[in-house]
Amino acid sequence: MADKQEIYDVTIIGGGPVGLFTAFYCGLRELKTKVVEFLPKPGGKVSMFFPEKIIRDIGGIPGIAGAQLIEQLKEQAATFDPDFVFNQRITGFKRLDDGTIELTAATGETHYTRTVILACGMGTLEVNELNHHDASAYAGKNLRYTAEKLAEFQGKHVVISGGGDSAVDWANELEPLAASVTILHRREEFGGLESAVTKMKQSSVRVLAPYSLQHISGNGDIIESITAVHTETGAQEVIEIDELIINHGFTIDLGPIKEWGLDTEDGRIKADRHMRTNLPGVFVAGDAASYESKLKLIAGGFTEGPTAVNSAKAYLDPHAEKMAMYSTHHKKLVVQ
């Protein structure tokens, strides 16, 4: 059947930041490339949850909003015209007699490829919703699970429940805009970069830790106040609010990919320093990858993607150069 459909050199599963940059690098290596994304558009969780978050840990870019970064990565990826497929979750993996890999989507479509690069993050993402009997009634009103449009919080009293990097970043982004920002965290220690936590604690953000969100009160249309409880003493405080942001993490699942026979560790796919998995012709990059000294930043994924591509190129052609020429030398990129 493989001979009846186009066979790609590389199929990238995942169209987030790492998948997009990996597609660009595939073009530098002159590999025919397809990107398959579960969501209806590229960008992954950056597009879904952090379009206005300012990203500051990519070399050479002092700061860039998530949505802008994705737009630039899309433009860059389009340089070599890879094919994109959206709204498809790859579930099946089969190696045919001639070595071609057949990928099957949950919708039944099939894709044929000589190699696969998994840039799927840690799989599908589902927000951990607030465990409160009235939460669903206020979701989408002034109970939110992301701060997509910062301007909507202008002049408002905002409470953030959570202590991870996203909660800290949102507190810092909203502090200049909102009338007040209060953050509740069940532990005294916050996640995220040390500099971001320090900035938050030195700003006007009110930090309540260790506190947890115990109760929400509203009029049936919007939440009017929340009750915070000290996790050690049990002391309670009622706080009037305009907006409540819940950042209690995500449920992340590799799903059917776990059944392919890949070696995994703590929900991630084991890789060597060449981004090779235990399956021949299958490579990994970005949040999905697990190896010693892993750098859990987009910038780290921007190195892992090209490394995976170079390994795929070597798998397809053992005599190929170990890496691409510098982009400044590529005929398609040289300014005439």
Side-chain angles (χ1 to χ4, degrees):
M1 187 173 181
D3 61 350
K4 296 181 181 179
Q5 284 187 239
E6 198 165 9
I7 301 175
Y8 287 77
D9 295 319
V10 177
T11 295
I12 301 167
I13 300 178
V18 174
L20 290 171
F21 187 65
T22 302
F24 167 75
Y25 197 84
C26 281
L28 289 178
R29 299 304 322 253
E30 298 186 337
L31 296 169
K32 185 170 182 58
T33 304
K34 176 187 283 186
V35 181
V36 183
E37 168 58 51
F38 171 64
L39 297 173
K41 61 180 181 180
K45 66 181 180 182
V46 172
S47 290
M48 288 180 65
F49 301 110
F50 313 118
E52 293 194 14
K53 177 181 176 181
I54 303 302
I55 299 169
R56 295 185 172 89
D57 47 23
I58 298 174
I61 303 177
I64 186 170
Q68 184 182 0
L69 174 65
I70 296 304
E71 287 302 313
Q72 293 184 184
L73 284 165
K74 285 165 57 180
E75 180 181 349
Q76 185 181 41
T79 304
F80 298 101
D81 301 315
D83 288 330
F84 283 88
V85 177
F86 298 105
N87 294 304
Q88 288 195 24
R89 185 185 190 192
I90 297 299
T91 56
F93 174 96
K94 180 181 179 181
R95 198 180 303 274
L96 304 182
D97 291 341
D98 62 359
T100 301
I101 296 169
E102 179 186 78
L103 300 173
T104 305
T107 49
E109 288 88 346
T110 54
H111 306 273
Y112 294 93
T113 186
R114 300 171 70 195
T115 65
V116 174
I117 296 178
L118 296 167
C120 52
M122 292 178 69
T124 56
L125 293 173
E126 290 187 12
V127 173
N128 291 333
E129 298 183 355
L130 177 63
N131 184 19
H132 188 281
H133 60 87
D134 285 336
S136 60
Y138 297 109
K141 298 175 182 178
N142 68 336
L143 189 162
R144 306 169 185 253
Y145 293 97
T146 180
E148 290 187 18
K149 297 180 180 179
L150 300 182
E152 294 180 350
F153 298 88
Q154 182 79 42
K156 295 184 178 181
H157 297 281
V158 182
V159 168
I160 301 171
S161 177
D165 55 354
S166 296
V168 172
D169 288 343
W170 284 335
N172 286 330
E173 297 290 344
L174 292 173
E175 188 266 344
L177 303 173
S180 68
V181 176
T182 301
I183 187 166
L184 313 176
H185 185 38
R186 65 184 183 275
R187 294 190 296 271
E188 292 186 358
E189 298 79 18
F190 284 82
L193 295 172
E194 292 90 339
S195 59
V197 175
T198 298
K199 178 182 178 181
M200 178 186 70
K201 290 183 175 181
Q202 293 178 347
S203 73
S204 67
V205 173
R206 186 181 181 213
V207 177
L208 294 181
Y211 274 79
S212 63
L213 178 60
Q214 183 183 60
H215 187 66
I216 59 176
S217 299
N219 58 16
D221 185 31
I222 62 170
I223 299 170
E224 297 174 316
S225 67
I226 64 100
T227 302
V229 60
H230 194 285
T231 59
E232 296 175 356
T233 67
Q236 296 185 5
E237 180 176 344
V238 176
I239 305 171
E240 294 185 357
I241 69 165
D242 296 313
E243 300 280 353
L244 174 62
I245 301 173
I246 302 298
N247 184 236
H248 294 172
F250 306 96
T251 299
I252 304 174
D253 187 7
L254 284 172
I257 290 177
K258 293 185 296 186
E259 309 303 319
W260 292 5
L262 290 158
D263 286 342
T264 60
E265 181 178 46
D266 297 328
R268 300 174 190 266
I269 299 165
K270 288 185 178 181
D272 64 12
R273 64 189 181 91
H274 301 286
M275 307 315 298
R276 297 176 299 204
T277 73
N278 62 301
L279 298 183
V282 180
F283 310 90
V284 64
D287 286 344
S290 173
Y291 58 94
E292 189 176 0
S293 301
K294 164 82 175 176
L295 179 64
K296 296 178 182 179
L297 294 174
I298 291 176
F302 286 168
T303 297
E304 295 167 0
T307 300
V309 173
N310 288 334
S311 294
K313 182 74 173 184
Y315 176 83
L316 296 171
D317 179 6
H319 302 293
E321 295 291 334
K322 292 184 178 180
M323 62 174 284
M325 69 181 78
Y326 299 110
S327 61
T328 50
H329 297 166
H330 197 285
K331 59 185 177 182
K332 194 166 184 176
L333 302 175
V334 173
V335 177
Q336 301 297 330

